[in-house]
Amino acid sequence: MSGEIWNRVLEKLARTGPFREVREGLEGGSVAVHGLRGSLGAFLLAFLVREGKGPRLAIAPEKGAEQLRGDLEVLLGKDMVSYLPPLCLRPGEERLPSLEAVGLRVEALVRLAARRPGVVVVPLGAVAEPTLPPQHMGRYLLRLRVGEEVDMEELMEKLVEGGYERVPMVAAPGQFGVRGGILDVFPFTEGLPVRAEFWGDMVDSLRRFDVSSQRSMEFVDEVLIPPARELVVTEDVWDRLEEEAGRWGLEGLRERASRRAYWEGMEAYLPLVYPERALVLDYLDPGDVVFLEDSERISAEVEEELESLRELGLPLEAFRPSPEEMEDRLNRLRRICHVTFSSHEGEVVRFSSQEPGGFGGDIARARKAVGRWVAEGYRVVVACGHPAQAERVAEALEDEGVEVGVGDLGGGFVFPQGDLVLLTEGEFFRRPFRRSRPPKFQGGTPIPDITALRRGDLVVHEDYGIGRFLGVEGMEVGGVRGDFLIVEYRDGDRLYVPVEQLARVQKYQGLLKIQPPLTKLGGAEWERVKARVKRAARQMAGELLKLYATRMAKPGHAFSPDTPWQAELEFSFPCEETPDQLEAARQIKEDMEQPVPMDRLLCGDVGFGKTEVAIRAAFKAVMDG
């Protein structure tokens, strides 16, 4: 439903003069624009992407880039937007770049290299950072298709050169594992690892699988496997790094490169590794469109980067492009330049937008402003980051003729040329806009059933019962080598459980500190235990159903729906609610409005916002007398 709202807004904006001018201006070259307030710039870019007019790349200061990324994800969908963060790695720093940064960068470069539809958002700090040259990306961008023949040894060699880590069992992006004719690999471009089964040299099947259960999720016909990092380490790379270090008088680096061993922080020397010093701009074809937010800042950003390298005593021309080189690269592209001054020389497409101002949680003030805009002929749309928040805003403004949609947009605007007002949570509440974003790429989460176990711990196998964990051992079965959990049962019998079946084993959790007897393998004892537990569970379920049926039959007090005062109280909280807080408050108030006794427990750790939820419920009760 919310997607339909943003589609309708984009359709309305597409008919406005400034939007048409930008689209037509790109036919002849570059375009300068002025006056894009709030999220209006994201609407312009989303419109152009849908029209097939680009841009391929959107460059903005770091804070603005994060907001632009989030706004475009709302308007275009997350699968159409990539983000290329800076590595923020200086020569001499002994640390690995974060998995999140590496994964996002590889994903963004693959989108550009493969000419996939969508847009890549780049903060200014990443524009001048050297990266893997496009021709090298093409060389190590592997494609597996069902039915095609692939040399397994050559494939594994390229995966290792491309930065993949070989492990017994794949658990995180950037890893691969081989067992007989099966290859598991977790590329950064896939949400799940992929299992390729070979029949000789032919790819027999490809399927995505779940890391924890090892179960297949879906079959695919093709998978793209990019390098796992921008530094592809080959013998030629070592030779060139050693040669370039000697050329620039970096003796410490030359000596280290001669050891032929990767070290943490080596990515900082990317500019010396490849014959061509490539930037993300080199992934664009001449004539591609790039959006520049605050274009005057690019040269200043490059100068700041050069100054920081100068302080380290490094040869600047070896590590970063000059401002002139950056300008040359940009000149071969068509640009949409958002200029900050209306006095900019040359033709400018002017967007007469303004910021709507904030209401600070004052509902009466918000209703008055919205009513005035509606009376003046504006279409008013409110964007909320969570369905519960959208529901609350819709109730507060239900008589004002506004549309409310779910979308975590960064800033509102008033756009007279389109008779449109967009409001966001930032305008409604007494708090600045903050978009929480969990990491997209994370290290492998250890499987609790293994990492929580120590030799001698009791475990329960769902098919064989209680046994004692003796460890993990590698074995070869039927010509295929794999890892097995060893579980000992009564009389010394042993069960060997393949790691692929870990989901069937869990640590024994008893209520009392009494050691239960081990189960006898091959007997009916465990089946009798399971049958007895099932009977007890059914009996308990019946008792609970009877108890709740009795409670539901008794009358309770049905509280009235939320009042305007309730909405005003909730808007006044200074802290941004979490999605769980909003959902808990919504469910509690729904319970309170039912004519039956309420039965709900609110759980949460210290400081997680239980009191704020309770205050809302208490206020609702007080308002009903």
Side-chain angles (χ1 to χ4, degrees):
M1 184 65 71
S2 292
E4 294 176 8
I5 287 180
W6 308 129
N7 289 338
R8 291 197 298 270
V9 171
L10 281 168
E11 289 170 4
K12 180 179 178 63
L13 292 173
R15 297 190 292 270
T16 63
F19 274 65
R20 291 200 308 269
E21 283 184 58
V22 173
R23 181 183 59 192
E24 293 164 4
L26 287 173
E27 300 290 343
S30 298
V31 179
V33 299
H34 171 71
L36 296 172
R37 309 293 182 195
S39 296
L40 186 56
F43 278 93
L44 174 63
L45 300 191
F47 157 72
L48 293 171
V49 169
R50 289 188 172 194
E51 292 279 306
K53 304 295 183 182
R56 301 275 296 146
L57 213 63
I59 301 171
E62 186 168 356
K63 185 177 179 181
E66 281 284 359
Q67 177 178 322
L68 184 59
R69 172 194 180 188
D71 289 351
L72 288 172
E73 286 177 345
V74 171
L75 301 177
L76 294 173
K78 290 187 177 182
D79 59 337
M80 289 286 286
V81 183
S82 296
Y83 184 69
L84 192 136
L87 277 178
C88 298
L89 197 61
R90 295 283 182 269
E93 289 184 329
E94 298 278 338
R95 65 176 179 85
L96 285 171
S98 71
L99 185 66
E100 177 77 352
V102 171
L104 289 172
R105 287 175 66 90
V106 169
E107 182 186 59
L109 294 175
V110 169
R111 180 182 294 278
L112 295 173
R115 304 292 295 181
R116 288 179 171 175
V119 59
V120 174
V121 179
V122 185
L124 276 178
V127 177
E129 282 190 339
T131 184
L132 177 69
Q135 56 269 39
H136 288 265
M137 171 64 82
R139 189 178 307 157
Y140 287 93
L141 190 59
L142 308 175
R143 195 183 301 268
L144 295 182
R145 292 189 181 94
V146 174
E148 289 192 352
E149 290 194 356
V150 176
D151 187 309
M152 176 73 88
E153 292 298 324
E154 185 179 328
L155 175 60
M156 288 192 293
E157 184 179 330
K158 283 201 170 185
L159 288 174
V160 172
E161 288 180 353
Y164 283 86
E165 176 191 9
R166 184 168 182 175
V167 294
M169 189 168 70
V170 169
Q175 296 179 342
F176 81 99
V178 179
R179 300 188 309 280
I182 297 176
L183 168 75
D184 291 344
V185 61
F186 202 156
F188 282 107
T189 48
E190 296 286 334
L192 292 170
V194 175
R195 177 163 293 153
E197 295 189 10
F198 286 80
W199 181 262
D201 286 340
M202 188 183 74
V203 180
D204 189 49
S205 70
L206 292 169
R207 50 186 169 172
R208 297 187 178 96
F209 67 93
D210 182 75
V211 170
S212 56
S213 68
Q214 297 290 302
R215 292 174 181 169
S216 299
M217 304 300 290
E218 62 175 325
F219 285 88
V220 293
D221 296 323
E222 177 181 291
V223 64
L224 204 62
I225 307 174
R229 60 186 181 213
E230 294 161 82
L231 183 63
V232 177
V233 182
T234 63
E235 196 60 35
D236 290 343
V237 162
W238 290 119
D239 290 341
R240 177 166 177 81
L241 183 57
E242 191 174 352
E243 178 185 332
E244 287 294 297
R247 175 188 169 197
W248 295 104
L250 304 173
E251 286 304 314
L253 176 62
R254 188 190 65 77
E255 191 276 331
R256 195 163 196 177
S258 68
R259 301 177 200 165
R260 300 300 199 260
Y262 175 84
W263 69 87
E264 293 185 2
M266 188 175 168
E267 284 81 359
Y269 299 98
L270 261 171
L272 307 181
V273 165
Y274 301 110
E276 318 84 3
R277 183 170 57 197
L279 309 179
V280 64
L281 294 171
D282 296 314
Y283 278 77
L284 303 181
D285 292 338
D288 277 350
V289 178
V290 58
F291 173 78
L292 303 174
E293 174 69 53
D294 194 4
S295 55
E296 295 91 345
R297 276 287 304 157
I298 291 183
S299 294
E301 185 75 25
V302 173
E303 289 287 1
E304 290 175 14
E305 181 71 11
L306 292 175
E307 182 59 33
S308 68
L309 293 174
R310 188 179 290 113
E311 292 173 359
L312 294 174
L314 296 170
L316 306 184
E317 59 271 31
F319 283 89
R320 291 293 186 272
S322 66
E324 292 74 24
E325 288 180 272
M326 287 293 299
E327 188 64 28
D328 288 342
R329 281 177 163 91
L330 288 169
N331 282 339
R332 67 187 184 88
L333 306 169
R334 288 180 294 161
R335 290 163 288 174
I336 305 171
C337 299
H338 185 207
V339 295
T340 53
F341 300 103
S342 58
S343 58
H344 175 79
E345 295 181 4
E347 293 187 9
V348 178
V349 178
R350 303 189 186 280
F351 291 77
S352 302
S353 64
Q354 304 108 33
E355 294 179 355
F359 308 122
D362 188 335
I363 297 301
R365 185 175 159 200
R367 291 172 67 93
K368 184 177 179 181
V370 168
R372 185 181 71 251
W373 281 318
V374 171
E376 292 173 359
Y378 282 91
R379 178 180 180 179
V380 180
V381 181
V382 183
C384 296
H386 190 274
Q389 197 77 289
E391 185 179 321
R392 197 170 70 183
V393 171
E395 289 174 358
L397 302 175
E398 62 180 342
D399 298 326
E400 302 300 332
V402 304
E403 296 177 76
V404 181
V406 177
D408 211 358
L409 295 175
F413 56 82
V414 179
F415 186 40
Q417 291 149 301
D419 296 326
L420 177 69
V421 175
L422 176 76
L423 301 174
T424 67
E425 292 185 26
E427 283 81 47
F428 268 96
F429 304 114
R430 296 173 180 168
R431 49 183 179 253
F433 171 78
R434 292 192 307 274
R435 179 183 281 115
S436 58
R437 183 188 296 276
K440 185 172 184 178
F441 301 101
Q442 303 184 55
T445 302
I447 300 173
D449 300 329
I450 285 183
T451 57
L453 292 179
R454 295 183 179 179
R455 188 179 179 86
D457 283 349
L458 294 180
V459 295
V460 182
H461 191 291
E462 63 181 54
D463 295 325
Y464 299 102
I466 301 172
R468 193 182 311 280
F469 175 67
L470 297 183
V472 179
E473 183 178 312
M475 299 172 57
E476 188 171 314
V477 179
V480 178
R481 187 164 185 82
D483 293 325
F484 294 80
L485 275 72
I486 306 173
V487 183
E488 184 182 48
Y489 287 86
R490 191 187 305 168
D491 300 331
D493 293 339
R494 291 188 175 188
L495 179 70
Y496 295 87
V497 184
V499 292
E500 291 85 356
Q501 297 180 16
L502 283 174
R504 293 178 172 272
V505 181
Q506 61 182 340
K507 189 174 181 179
Y508 173 80
Q509 301 287 344
L511 296 177
L512 301 174
K513 294 182 179 180
I514 299 175
Q515 291 283 330
L518 301 184
T519 306
K520 173 70 176 175
L521 272 183
E525 175 188 358
W526 182 243
E527 292 301 322
R528 288 196 297 269
V529 170
K530 289 198 292 184
R532 191 163 60 246
V533 171
K534 286 179 181 178
R535 285 195 301 272
R538 278 196 296 269
Q539 181 180 348
M540 181 182 291
E543 292 172 356
L544 287 173
L545 282 172
K546 188 181 297 183
L547 173 64
Y548 278 90
T550 303
R551 287 177 60 85
M552 293 295 287
K554 292 183 177 181
H557 178 76
F559 288 89
S560 304
D562 285 358
T563 63
W565 283 15
Q566 178 84 29
E568 191 161 347
L569 168 80
E570 296 182 1
F571 283 141
S572 70
F573 285 106
C575 298
E576 182 178 0
E577 299 91 339
T578 66
D580 286 343
Q581 279 181 306
L582 291 171
E583 183 62 22
R586 184 188 68 79
Q587 291 186 17
I588 288 172
K589 289 193 289 185
E590 280 185 0
D591 284 354
M592 293 176 70
E593 293 173 12
Q594 300 301 315
V596 293
M598 180 174 171
D599 189 9
R600 181 175 291 274
L601 175 66
L602 179 64
C603 296
D605 209 340
V606 176
F608 273 56
K610 299 185 298 297
T611 303
E612 186 172 318
V613 174
I615 288 174
R616 296 165 192 249
F619 189 86
K620 185 178 181 71
V622 170
M623 291 303 296
D624 230 31

